[in-house]
Amino acid sequence: KLGAIVQLLLGEIPERAVFRASSTRAPMRPYLKLVQAVRTGDLAAFRDAMAEHAAVFAADGNAALVLRLRQNVIRAGLRNVSLAYSRIHLSDAAAKLALDTPGDMESIAAKAIRDGVIDATIDHEAGVLISSGSADTYSTLEPQAAYHKRITFCLNLHNDAVKAMSYPPDAHKGDLPDADAIKERQREEQELAEALAEEDEF
């Protein structure tokens, strides 16, 4: 339980196997709701989970840590808002995040920008959060570099395969009989055939 909360505080999402195991499914159910709220940035769902399972968190001694997750939920929600809207009023953003105090939206957004959570700017006079447009990856050299890396890998793999299948020059000649041996064997076969023919005559 504590490990799941620590992972959430560090910005990580715990593995689903932790919550699906038969031995931990029931005791971890309250923490699963926290994970879902943090992952989606749903502050309302987080408040519901806190209200519903407050006694469980207190009994586990994790109530104080769970309260600190509120900032992570807000950051995740703000990140989703900044990705969905290129320009949004701070009051609308606060409504979408379901903040208890909408007046704190500007300071929350400013802190998120400073910490690098979102790539945006704030127009303080208009009260607007302006998200920076995401760069078009295909207008950069990144796709070309990725293709070049893959093609180089395939060519190296082909060259290594060709080298592994190659044989030294004339390596097969040592196993072939020479011309004298062939003539000697043919002569012996001919003599044997003549001897058999003479026996048939008698």
Side-chain angles (χ1 to χ4, degrees):
K1 297 177 180 179
L2 180 61
I5 295 177
V6 171
Q7 280 188 279
L8 291 174
L9 288 172
L10 292 175
E12 302 173 359
I13 301 298
E15 295 289 338
R16 290 187 178 182
V18 176
F19 304 97
R20 289 183 174 179
S22 57
S23 59
T24 60
R25 184 176 301 171
M28 290 296 290
R29 187 172 292 112
Y31 295 88
L32 176 60
K33 293 186 177 181
L34 290 179
V35 172
Q36 292 171 343
V38 172
R39 184 175 58 84
T40 58
D42 191 343
L43 191 59
F46 176 77
R47 280 198 292 261
D48 292 341
M50 282 288 299
E52 184 179 353
H53 303 288
V56 176
F57 300 142
D60 293 337
N62 297 326
L65 291 175
V66 171
L67 284 175
R68 294 184 61 182
L69 287 174
R70 181 177 179 275
Q71 294 300 323
N72 294 63
V73 176
I74 293 174
R75 287 188 174 195
L78 185 57
R79 188 185 302 113
N80 293 336
V81 169
S82 67
L83 292 175
Y85 298 92
S86 60
R87 184 184 182 91
I88 185 172
H89 285 277
L90 293 174
S91 57
D92 295 334
K96 290 186 176 295
L97 295 178
L99 292 180
D100 300 325
T101 52
D104 295 338
M105 185 66 238
E106 185 172 353
S107 60
I108 292 173
K111 189 175 187 304
I113 294 171
R114 185 187 63 192
D115 295 342
V117 176
I118 59 174
D119 185 11
T121 56
I122 299 176
D123 185 347
H124 297 281
E125 294 182 359
V128 174
L129 178 67
I130 305 172
S131 300
S132 301
S134 58
D136 183 10
T137 305
Y138 292 98
S139 64
T140 65
L141 295 177
E142 187 175 346
Q144 178 182 348
Y147 279 120
H148 177 71
K149 183 178 180 181
R150 295 178 183 179
I151 292 171
T152 302
F153 172 78
C154 292
L155 290 176
N156 291 336
L157 183 63
H158 173 266
N159 293 336
D160 293 342
V162 170
K163 290 179 182 177
M165 292 187 297
S166 62
Y167 297 94
D170 301 332
H172 62 287
K173 291 184 178 180
D175 299 333
L176 297 177
D178 54 13
D180 294 337
I182 294 174
K183 290 180 180 180
E184 180 65 21
R185 187 175 63 185
Q186 289 177 346
R187 186 181 61 79
E188 292 176 354
E189 291 176 352
Q190 185 176 0
E191 292 178 354
L192 179 60
E194 292 176 354
L196 292 174
E198 292 175 357
E199 290 179 357
D200 292 339
E201 291 178 357
F202 291 108

